[in-house]
Amino acid sequence: MTVSTNLPSFHTPGVEDDRTGLGIETLKRAFFDNLYYVQGKLPNRASTVDYYMALAYTVRDRLLQRWLATEDILTRPEVRIVGYLSAEFLMGPHLGNNLINLDIYAPVKQAIEESGLNLQELIDIEEEPGLGNGGLGRLAACYLDSLASLQIPAIGYGIRYEFGIFDQEIVDGWQVEITDKWLKYGNPWEVARPEEAVEIKFGGYTQPYTDDQGRYRVRWVPGSTVMGIPYDTPITGYNVNTVNTLRLWKAEAPESFDFTAFNQGDYWGAVNDKVVSETISKVLYPNDEQIQGKQLRLQQQFFFVSCSLQDVIRRQLESGRTLDTLHEKFSLQMNDTHPSVAVAELMRLLVDEHMLEWDHAWDITTRTLAYTNHTLLPEALEKWSVSLFGSLLPRHLEIIFEINSRFLDQVRLRYPGDEARLGQLSLIDEGGDRSVRMANLACVGSHAINGVAALHSELLKKTVLHDFYELMPEKFCNVTNGVTPRRWLALSNPRLTALIDRRIGNGWLTHLDRLRELESAADDAGFRHEWRMVKRDIKADLADHIANRTGISVNPDTLFDIQVKRIHEYKRQHLNVLHIVTLYHRLKQNPNQDMAGRTFIFGGKAAPGYDMAKRIIKLITSVGDVVNKDPDVSDRLRVVFLPDYNVTFGQRVYPAAELSEQISLAGLEASGTGNMKFSMNGALTIGTLDGANVEIREEVGAENFFLFGMKTEEVTALRSQGYNPMSYYHSNETLKAVIDLIASGHFSHGDRELFRPLIDNLLYHDPYMLLADYQSYVDCQDQVDRAYRDSENWVRMSILNAARMGKFSSDRSIQDYAQTIWQADAVPIEIEA
Ligand code: 73E
């Protein structure tokens, strides 16, 4: 199906429109026009931010026709829409990405340069919308890019947090959190749509009643109301007319409030109600995979889910359809359990508000919703205490009890007398303080359940969702994660992109499997030389950046060994540190030790309340302080912790990497996506058989991947056998020396207490089994060292890594979702000239 739009055009033939034209003179005129009329500035008074804003509006003008055309086709009854429900969208800066996707980078660069400005400077000044914690939020952003690029009509639904993920500063080696004021200068990419605001209710009580047909019904009498105001951001597809929408909801107090209260003299009360309402979308919870069970978090979840479902229902009815066919027009994907209250809210909307029969509503609900699980970590499984849930959402709690009762009846028929299984499958955890299990709710209320990498999907079936798998195996599937090569190659690594273009032509950015055509180039010495030169230049740029940001000078001719991701014990940044201290110890013992110089680069945020993670940051910076200043080693070892790792910095760091650290304990990293970004940019991986590492290794070939560590089955076996970390400490002389060195205060000015919590945890508990994997890791790192010194072969492996990453384009992931879960098709849009 190709659709053309007949939206009115305001174009006068023969005259380039200031809002759409792409001629250099037109672009310049439009740019200064926006500076004057939108920013209200003359060039001699304008700051870089003003120029950035003027350019952003100039670019936005140029996508509006396509955006409106895409919005227009959503109203057609036959067009199927994917709704991606996610509490996080970690979009990264928009300007550069839109220049690439609209294919206007070159003319805009020329226009900006002819205006005496520097395009890169304007791109760099954009404050990124950090509305996510890490991989899960960034995945949502990559998926929006691919949905648009594949011309699949889609809407991303989430929360417009006023404060996104905090900015990280490092003070005296420790993380300090600073509020992220991303909206400070305004946001040129969003359009508020207050006319499409919806009402969201909380609290109160429920009341049974009989309707005019004599049927038993329930009415919810809420205790309070807030408004959800949609803010839309255009999501451009790459070289296509599709421009989808990211719709983020902001919470506001209903307007009527303040006036009545004001008239009654309760000025404080009126203002306070407003403050309380607006708190809902105030700040992103900065915890990655650690649930705190705070009431505000449940309010946020319900808020954006209810806003989005009401929006979906409005669109369904406005397209001329009835709610009986909601599942034919919409497919709604729940990004983890964060939006899983959607199961209960969609039932409530259909049954209580739109008067459908329960069974009919249930059929529609389960055919509309699907659930992606992103983690096996027990501390990330969402549960809400029944009393908290009931006080905030009394009607939803009743609905969940009803769903549960009907569901458990079916389970009883299938497994008569199996009380233990019933207890496991129940939506309610009856142990201790009773709680609602959101993963169970999501499983029961969805027609599809997927994990995010092959290994993860298998482990889901064997462990946390085992009973659900036995009961409903047909719902389970795998969709391995992917990342968008537009942002993670074309935008972030233009030099490598140009080199690849010269070798294999273009077209590969949308058909990433075509990178395989580079395989033969790996044997071409000339090409290897060019590849090496590109990497060398980018490393030099990163070295400059590191010097500016931290004052640490690093040598671009050393091996750039990089670990960037959230700081978490299961990701084992401290295993990386044990290796660094091992090398340090070796060099101190034998200063003539033959080894390639290495620069270890770390980046990542710790959840503000996660003491162990914050101490790991302090350990990295402390080891760096000693190593970088020690003349015995500092020509061969450098350790850098780069503050405030985010999407913008990721775009600098992946292209410069030579070794990618993916060293989680096997079975704990569901997929990982940084691993893909590194490898696409020609870094080799040192990693465990965990998450998507397994599939990356399959694709690039075992000989081009540095594998170490226990496999999941070995981890399970060791644990059940009774793991004793101390035995590794006593039986491994180097390991003991390394741990003793840290414990002695060598890296903490003699303070033996600073790292004691970390060391004691390793020696007495070691839940992530660093000590068990230590020797295998160090041996593997020695292999890396030898491989790096055979530089021709290293470059060969680097080229082969990039060449074989086609599978990990998010385009492939989205095609998998579209075929197996959403049944969604491309709808190419024709725009009349
Ligand atoms: O392995 C990653 C995965 O690549 C996983 O840890 C991450 O999701 C990525 C994308 O699939 C993830 N984040 C969360 N759960 N899994 C999470 C949980 C609670 C709050 C915020 C994020």
Side-chain angles (χ1 to χ4, degrees):
M1 169 173 48
T2 300
V3 296
S4 20
T5 52
N6 48 6
L7 290 182
S9 154
F10 303 101
H11 198 80
T12 314
V15 179
E16 259 211 343
D17 189 298
D18 262 13
R19 302 265 176 170
T20 55
L22 292 170
I24 304 302
E25 291 311 314
T26 312
L27 283 170
K28 285 198 262 185
R29 198 169 58 240
F31 174 61
F32 284 105
D33 205 61
N34 279 325
L35 184 70
Y36 188 92
Y37 285 104
V38 183
Q39 280 308 99
K41 284 282 177 80
L42 287 167
N44 60 345
R45 307 275 308 166
S47 66
T48 312
V49 172
D50 291 321
Y51 282 122
Y52 156 75
M53 296 289 271
L55 181 56
Y57 285 113
T58 307
V59 172
R60 194 181 91 176
D61 289 342
R62 279 152 185 77
L63 56 76
L64 260 167
Q65 191 186 13
R66 286 176 239 192
W67 193 14
L68 297 184
T70 309
E71 267 289 325
D72 190 53
I73 64 137
L74 299 188
T75 63
R76 300 185 188 193
E78 73 281 9
V79 168
R80 191 162 163 76
I81 304 173
V82 173
Y84 199 82
L85 301 177
S86 180
E88 305 188 5
F89 285 93
L90 193 43
M91 300 302 293
H94 292 293
L95 176 57
N97 194 242
N98 282 330
L99 294 177
I100 300 271
N101 280 5
L102 297 170
D103 196 19
I104 58 173
Y105 194 95
V108 166
K109 184 168 165 35
Q110 189 182 340
I112 294 300
E113 272 166 12
E114 288 181 13
S115 308
L117 297 160
N118 180 304
L119 177 61
Q120 196 56 45
E121 234 171 75
L122 303 192
I123 290 177
D124 288 344
I125 201 140
E126 180 174 351
E127 181 92 37
E128 74 170 74
L131 309 187
N133 275 287
L136 172 140
R138 183 53 230 175
L139 186 78
C142 283
Y143 282 1
L144 292 187
D145 180 87
S146 284
L147 279 160
S149 298
L150 292 166
Q151 306 178 81
I152 298 174
I155 306 171
Y157 282 114
I159 302 175
R160 182 178 175 278
Y161 300 106
E162 187 178 333
F163 302 115
I165 188 69
F166 60 85
D167 293 336
Q168 178 193 56
E169 282 181 12
I170 299 296
V171 178
D172 188 29
W174 294 94
Q175 164 175 303
V176 172
E177 300 93 22
I178 314 285
T179 41
D180 159 57
K181 302 206 178 89
W182 71 287
L183 290 167
K184 187 168 49 186
Y185 296 114
N187 174 5
W189 301 103
E190 69 184 6
V191 179
R193 304 276 187 207
E195 70 281 10
E196 291 180 9
V198 292
E199 284 189 3
I200 307 300
K201 320 277 189 187
F202 289 102
Y205 55 93
T206 66
Q207 244 177 10
Y209 71 100
T210 313
D211 70 10
D212 7 349
Q213 278 134 42
R215 287 177 305 189
Y216 172 85
R217 297 213 164 263
V218 179
R219 151 186 323 125
W220 176 20
V221 186
S224 63
T225 303
V226 299
M227 302 301 296
I229 316 292
Y231 284 72
D232 290 352
T233 300
I235 306 296
T236 50
Y238 178 72
N239 269 335
V240 291
N241 285 328
T242 303
V243 176
N244 282 327
T245 295
L246 169 61
R247 172 158 280 199
L248 300 178
W249 300 95
K250 174 177 195 279
E252 280 188 10
E255 250 173 59
S256 52
F257 252 16
D258 10 2
F259 287 106
T260 37
F262 186 71
N263 291 335
Q264 287 158 8
D266 185 9
Y267 180 73
W268 190 88
V271 175
N272 190 244
D273 283 340
K274 194 167 163 61
V275 170
V276 169
S277 304
E278 297 186 352
T279 302
I280 292 181
S281 56
K282 196 53 87 179
V283 57
L284 167 77
Y285 275 90
N287 305 306
D288 195 76
E289 311 196 58
Q290 258 184 325
I291 294 311
Q292 292 185 316
K294 290 281 195 308
Q295 162 159 324
L296 180 61
R297 168 88 173 169
L298 181 58
Q299 283 175 296
Q300 290 186 334
Q301 294 183 350
F302 177 70
F303 168 73
F304 95 87
V305 162
S306 179
C307 287
S308 309
L309 290 177
Q310 292 186 56
D311 195 64
V312 160
I313 287 177
R314 177 186 55 80
R315 289 173 193 264
Q316 171 78 2
L317 299 177
E318 283 179 8
S319 79
R321 283 172 172 265
T322 65
L323 294 178
D324 306 292
T325 61
L326 187 69
H327 56 282
E328 289 174 13
K329 185 161 171 64
F330 282 94
S331 186
L332 302 180
Q333 191 68 32
M334 298 186 285
N335 198 23
D336 215 282
T337 54
H338 318 152
S340 61
V341 70
V343 176
E345 172 65 352
L346 187 51
M347 284 300 286
R348 188 192 67 84
L349 289 166
L350 295 177
V351 173
D352 291 1
E353 308 252 322
H354 294 274
M355 305 296 165
L356 269 64
E357 292 298 337
W358 181 280
D359 289 329
H360 188 195
W362 184 245
D363 184 57
I364 295 168
T365 297
T366 53
R367 291 166 79 166
T368 304
L369 294 172
Y371 160 52
T372 304
N373 174 290
H374 292 266
T375 175
L376 302 165
L377 290 192
E379 61 268 38
L381 286 184
E382 289 195 295
K383 284 182 186 181
W384 295 105
S385 97
V386 164
S387 59
L388 184 141
F389 202 103
S391 71
L392 212 58
L393 301 168
R395 179 57 185 144
H396 297 80
L397 184 61
E398 287 177 3
I399 290 172
I400 288 171
F401 281 140
E402 181 65 25
I403 294 171
N404 198 32
S405 142
R406 291 168 183 245
F407 169 61
L408 292 181
D409 281 346
Q410 287 177 347
V411 177
R412 279 190 198 91
L413 288 179
R414 179 74 192 276
Y415 303 102
D418 192 344
E419 287 301 313
R421 189 183 295 261
L422 225 56
Q424 292 298 125
L425 285 168
S426 176
L427 307 192
I428 307 298
D429 182 346
E430 303 284 351
D433 185 21
R434 296 170 80 212
S435 54
V436 185
R437 296 170 168 151
M438 300 311 272
N440 296 32
L441 177 64
C443 286
V444 174
S446 298
H447 66 279
I449 303 165
N450 74 285
V452 290
L455 173 68
H456 168 64
S457 295
E458 285 311 306
L459 291 173
L460 268 183
K461 296 194 277 188
K462 287 193 191 133
T463 62
V464 280
L465 299 181
H466 175 71
D467 292 324
F468 282 98
Y469 176 61
E470 286 202 335
L471 187 66
M472 36 181 88
E474 70 289 348
K475 284 191 185 181
F476 283 75
C477 58
N478 171 250
V479 182
T480 298
N481 284 169
V483 301
T484 171
R486 271 76 66 182
R487 184 176 292 271
W488 298 111
L489 268 172
L491 177 61
S492 59
N493 202 344
R495 284 178 275 204
L496 197 69
T497 302
L499 175 59
I500 297 172
D501 277 345
R502 286 202 295 280
R503 184 76 189 195
I504 66 172
N506 46 31
W508 53 272
L509 273 172
T510 46
H511 297 87
L512 206 65
D513 285 324
R514 280 199 41 208
L515 282 179
R516 290 254 174 199
E517 293 167 31
L518 284 177
E519 283 186 5
S520 60
D523 294 323
D524 172 341
F527 187 79
R528 283 203 302 270
H529 176 74
E530 289 186 85
W531 189 271
R532 190 206 316 271
M533 287 302 117
V534 165
K535 191 60 107 181
R536 172 68 176 67
D537 281 355
I538 302 168
K539 287 168 70 185
D541 288 351
L542 181 61
D544 287 344
H545 182 77
I546 290 172
N548 291 336
R549 262 313 259 285
T550 66
I552 302 171
S553 72
V554 305
N555 175 357
D557 291 317
T558 55
L559 165 54
F560 276 24
D561 175 334
I562 308 189
Q563 187 170 22
V564 285
K565 49 181 78 229
R566 285 300 287 245
I567 312 293
H568 203 298
E569 287 167 277
Y570 87 81
K571 296 178 188 276
R572 304 201 293 191
Q573 280 93 354
H574 45 339
L575 179 58
N576 191 339
V577 176
L578 291 183
H579 172 240
I580 297 172
V581 177
T582 305
L583 295 181
Y584 172 76
H585 176 72
R586 262 190 213 163
L587 286 171
K588 291 300 274 186
Q589 306 250 298
N590 174 10
N592 300 320
Q593 174 93 31
D594 201 15
M595 67 168 273
R598 272 211 215 197
T599 301
F600 294 90
I601 299 168
F602 292 85
K605 294 174 184 175
Y610 187 174
D611 178 80
M612 209 59 103
K614 289 181 139 177
R615 227 170 268 272
I616 291 174
I617 294 178
K618 177 66 178 169
L619 177 65
I620 296 167
T621 55
S622 304
V623 169
D625 282 347
V626 171
V627 167
N628 298 344
K629 286 184 195 128
D630 186 333
D632 291 348
V633 303
S634 64
D635 56 333
R636 276 159 299 168
L637 286 188
R638 284 287 150 105
V639 181
V640 179
F641 187 93
L642 259 163
D644 205 32
Y645 176 62
N646 57 13
V647 175
T648 308
F649 179 57
Q651 291 173 196
R652 268 182 194 281
V653 80
Y654 294 113
E658 292 176 292
L659 187 67
S660 149
E661 298 272 352
Q662 306 301 333
I663 61 178
S664 51
L665 177 64
L668 294 183
E669 189 69 272
S671 162
T673 42
N675 46 5
M676 302 167 186
K677 296 164 197 166
F678 276 115
S679 195
M680 246 177 219
N681 282 280
L684 305 197
T685 304
I686 182 164
T688 49
L689 271 187
D690 200 13
N693 295 354
V694 177
E695 291 157 81
I696 292 175
R697 179 166 172 267
E698 266 165 28
E699 291 295 305
V700 304
E703 68 285 8
N704 301 308
F705 187 105
F706 297 97
L707 178 70
F708 77 96
M710 294 181 287
K711 312 195 179 8
T712 46
E713 310 82 63
E714 292 166 329
V715 170
T716 318
L718 182 57
R719 216 185 281 291
S720 64
Q721 194 182 299
Y723 174 54
N724 176 16
M726 197 61 98
S727 66
Y728 293 87
Y729 170 79
H730 284 302
S731 62
N732 186 329
E733 226 176 274
T734 321
L735 173 61
K736 183 169 182 304
V738 163
I739 289 188
D740 290 349
L741 193 59
I742 298 171
S744 74
H746 186 79
F747 301 106
S748 42
H749 307 283
D751 180 352
R752 293 161 161 267
E753 295 309 309
L754 185 58
F755 299 123
R756 189 188 291 281
L758 268 171
I759 297 296
D760 283 355
N761 192 255
L762 288 182
L763 293 178
Y764 301 106
H765 309 285
D766 196 15
Y768 303 105
M769 298 183 164
L770 280 75
L771 302 202
D773 272 347
Y774 167 82
Q775 194 55 52
S776 160
Y777 181 55
V778 170
D779 292 344
C780 192
Q781 287 285 17
D782 289 341
Q783 239 174 286
V784 169
D785 177 67
R786 288 190 290 275
Y788 191 70
R789 286 186 281 158
D790 177 356
S791 63
E792 281 300 317
N793 195 45
W794 183 276
V795 176
R796 216 182 143 267
M797 294 196 286
S798 164
I799 296 169
L800 289 178
N801 260 264
R804 295 173 177 173
M805 288 302 287
K807 175 174 176 185
F808 304 100
S809 166
S810 45
D811 296 348
R812 190 271 313 144
S813 311
I814 288 301
Q815 274 156 347
D816 285 357
Y817 277 103
Q819 280 159 25
T820 64
I821 301 178
W822 302 331
Q823 270 78 53
D825 294 317
V827 183
I829 297 170
E830 266 176 22
I831 289 182
E832 279 141 36

